[in-house]
């Protein structure tokens, strides 16, 4: 019974922390105060719910309790030196809090305001990421620091500074006007995708924390897709994350080695995630407003369509990469397009497509070049490229894979081995 | 209402010739007029080159006067405008207009305590 109630508090915390903070920021007008009040309310819940039972609207209870705590504190602190501003804030905070509907799409969600504040371009990208995970995801400072391999004190300072800037520079707490929405939404999507890729590709760090990041990004993606259903890029990003996540069970071998897409055991892909992702891709592409996330999701969907690597419709993938290169030109896209060119027209054409691509300090370009050289039988050059790629990789699993390939290229039997 | 200082960040070096500078001055003046019309303009000034500045600093009981600028750099604050608006987004909106008109970076700084 008591254990059940504690589990309920944990579940409500995970699912509703961001929502409660978002409502309280609006009511109390300050991020720090809102955060403290919500945390206090959850501590109270840990004490009370096992005794009193879980309230009918847990998030409503948290919001009301948090609001009352904040008001009590203001009353205590402002008695001796009551200032007009405090009095005005108190008055505003004492207005009845709107009921918090469990899930009513007709009511504008405060979380949308909060995410636009967290991802405001006036904040540096690392601060945007940290704030989003802290305020909307409810991750602790220690968890975020751990995930991004930053000392906890550094992350704490980053969050303190970001919150101070929101307060001092008066970064507004609202959904941007129609005219600014596409640009501001791009920044939000970039933060969510960065959280996901950090969790998925794991440039460094250990696995369990990384999995949490990917799950958190997907949760934020689902939230945004629900809050901004009219923007196909939001749906596209969610589809891309789901289709990438679907491959996770097949991405790492039993000994922890990275398994490249072509060699993955496709029966281990999560079919439910694939089906959901593909349905979302179809839905957003029907709107006829393609964007970079939608096209990347479409590429993933084509891969997911193939029962075997050999059955991949590379012609279709090449068409999509051409479209992606036109929509969002970048060296990484150019390298991935060269991979598709190699599949359609052969490794020599793929190698030629890499000419002029400039992507320094990144393992992707030498890794792809190495693979194409290997397929062309240019073993010595391939080995050198694998070595260069391994030297640039920050991920132990990927580095091991590249070094294994390097050794294979140099061994007399060629591509034999694991 | 919050105030923001919009600093025009100017590169050190030759001042552009009149045929280049005149249209810029005209555009900046136009933005300034828009600010007044919108009721957000508080104060503005253009500054002389940094070599014209003098630094006065406390030294023990004394005050030391030296040739400026305070900090040598590749850029300096060449002018500023103080505006009064609702929030950072509104300040950034004016900052964008000023940057476009002046062709210079604009630093948008919130005023901590306006004695006005």
């Amino acid at each position: 019974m008591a254990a059940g109630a504690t589990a309920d508090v944990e579940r409500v915390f995970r699912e509703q922390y961001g929502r409660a903070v978002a409502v309280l920021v609006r009511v109390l007008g300050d991020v720090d105060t809102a955060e403290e009040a919500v945390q206090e309310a959850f501590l109270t819940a840990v004490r009370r719910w096992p005794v009193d039972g879980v309230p009918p609207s847990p998030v409503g209870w948290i919001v009301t309790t948090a609001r009352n705590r904040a008001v009590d504190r203001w009353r205590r602190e402002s008695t001796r030196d009551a200032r007009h501003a405090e009095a005005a804030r108190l008055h505003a905070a004492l207005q009845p809090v709107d009921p918090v509907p469990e899930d009513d799409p007709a009511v504008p969600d405060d979380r949308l305001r909060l995410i636009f504040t967290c991802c405001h371009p006036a904040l540096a990208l690392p601060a945007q990421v940290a704030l989003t995970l802290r305020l909307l995801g409810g991750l602790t400072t220690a968890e975020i620091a751990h995930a991004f391999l930053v000392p906890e004190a550094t992350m704490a300072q980053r969050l303190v500074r970001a919150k101070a800037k929101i307060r001092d520079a008066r970064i507004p707490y609202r959904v941007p006007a129609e005219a600014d929405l596409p640009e501001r939404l791009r920044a939000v999507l970039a933060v969510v995708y960065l959280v996901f890729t950090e969790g998925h590709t794991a440039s460094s760090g250990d696995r369990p924390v990384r999995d949490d990041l990917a799950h958190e990004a997907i949760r934020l993606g689902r939230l945004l897709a629900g809050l901004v259903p009219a923007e196909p890029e939001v749906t596209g990003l969610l589809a891309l994350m789901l289709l990438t996540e679907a491959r996770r069970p097949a991405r790492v071998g039993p000994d922890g080695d990275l398994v490249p897409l072509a060699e993955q055991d496709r029966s281990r892909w999560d079919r439910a995630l694939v089906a959901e992702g593909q349905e979302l891709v179809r839905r957003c592409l029907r709107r006829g407003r393609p964007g970079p996330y939608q096209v990347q999701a479409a590429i993933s969907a084509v891969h997911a369509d193939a029962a075997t690597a050999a059955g991949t419709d590379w012609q279709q993938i090449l068409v999509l990469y051409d479209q992606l290169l036109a929509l969002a030109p970048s060296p990484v896209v150019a390298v991935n397009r060269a991979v598709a060119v190699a599949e359609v027209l052969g490794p020599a054409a793929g190698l030629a497509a890499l000419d002029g691509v400039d992507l320094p300090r990144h393992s992707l370009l030498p890794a792809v070049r190495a693979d194409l050289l290997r397929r062309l039988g240019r073993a010595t050059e391939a080995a050198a490229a694998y070595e260069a790629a391994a030297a640039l990789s920050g991920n132990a699993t990927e580095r091991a894979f590249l070094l294994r390939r390097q050794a294979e290229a140099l061994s007399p039997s060629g591509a034999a081995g694991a | 209402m919050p105030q923001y200082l919009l600093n025009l960040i100017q590169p050190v070096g030759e001042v552009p010739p009149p045929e280049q500078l005149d249209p810029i001055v005209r555009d900046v003046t136009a933005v300034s007029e828009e600010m007044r019309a919108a009721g957000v303009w508080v104060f503005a000034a253009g500054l002389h080159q940094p070599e014209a500045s003098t630094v006065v600093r406390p030294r023990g009981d004394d005050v030391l006067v030296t040739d400026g600028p305070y900090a040598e750099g590749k850029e300096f604050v060449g002018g500023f405008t103080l505006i009064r608006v609702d929030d950072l987004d509104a300040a950034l909106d004016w900052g964008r207009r000023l940057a476009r008109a002046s062709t210079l970076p604009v630093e948008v700084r919130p005023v901590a305590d306006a004695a006005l």
Side-chain angles (χ1 to χ4, degrees), chain A residues 120 122 168-172 174 184, chain B residues 2 4 86-90 92 110:
Chain A
H120 196 283
D168 296 342
R170 289 175 191 259
I171 291 178
R174 64 161 173 259
R184 293 288 308 279
Chain B
Y4 296 84
D86 281 335
D87 56 34
L88 183 65
D89 279 357
L92 292 178

Side-chain angles (χ1 to χ4, degrees), chain B residues 6 8 28 31 81 94-103 106:
Chain B
L6 310 183
L8 275 177
V28 170
V31 173
T81 305
W94 285 109
R96 270 192 207 103
R97 293 194 216 189
L98 196 58
R100 232 176 260 136
S102 65
T103 74
V106 172

